[in-house]
Amino acid sequence: MAVADTIIEVFGTDSFADYEQRVYECYQKQAEREIVTTLNRLLTSIPFLQYLKAWCGKCALRFHEYRTISIRLKSGQSYEIRSPVFLKAKPKKKEAGPLDGKKADYAI
């Protein structure tokens, strides 16, 4: 068996640069999967949502729903995650009664 055949057998290619590139791509994909999984776990965790609701309440925002959004990581690859969505809260108005706040005069 020649040296070149042994290198191809071990690396899967005759070029160390190609082998090195494949290894880096594999680890990058694995790292990106971990980042997306961790981010999804954070955004859907109840304690984090409670914190966001408290903070957004001070900004007159209310939790509406979870939506699937697309993010782009450093590599340029896009991934979908579930993100909480907050909307501007409607003002709390106290509705006046049929007399518009005037005192009624009822005689019996």
Side-chain angles (χ1 to χ4, degrees):
M1 181 177 260
V3 172
D5 293 336
T6 304
I7 292 172
I8 290 171
E9 184 179 323
V10 172
F11 291 141
T13 180
D14 62 346
S15 168
F16 181 76
D18 291 343
Y19 168 75
E20 183 181 25
Q21 183 65 32
R22 275 199 334 259
V23 169
Y24 279 117
E25 287 172 0
C26 178
Y27 281 111
Q28 181 175 341
K29 287 178 185 177
Q30 184 178 354
E32 288 178 353
R33 280 193 305 268
E34 182 177 335
I35 289 167
V36 170
T37 300
T38 304
L39 184 57
N40 263 324
R41 191 171 52 228
L42 171 68
L43 292 175
T44 58
S45 75
I46 299 301
F48 188 67
L49 182 61
Q50 289 172 339
Y51 173 79
L52 286 178
K53 284 180 177 181
W55 182 68
C56 289
K58 295 175 184 176
C59 302
L61 299 172
R62 298 287 180 255
F63 175 73
H64 181 64
E65 65 182 2
Y66 275 96
R67 287 188 190 160
T68 301
I69 63 169
S70 182
I71 61 168
R72 187 174 309 278
L73 296 182
K74 184 178 173 181
S75 67
Q77 182 69 30
S78 291
Y79 292 91
E80 289 188 345
I81 61 168
R82 291 188 34 85
S83 176
V85 174
F86 290 82
L87 299 176
K88 187 80 172 158
K90 294 180 181 176
K92 293 180 181 177
K93 284 200 276 185
K94 190 173 186 181
E95 290 187 26
L99 301 175
D100 295 325
K102 296 179 184 176
K103 197 171 188 180
D105 289 325
Y106 291 106
I108 301 183

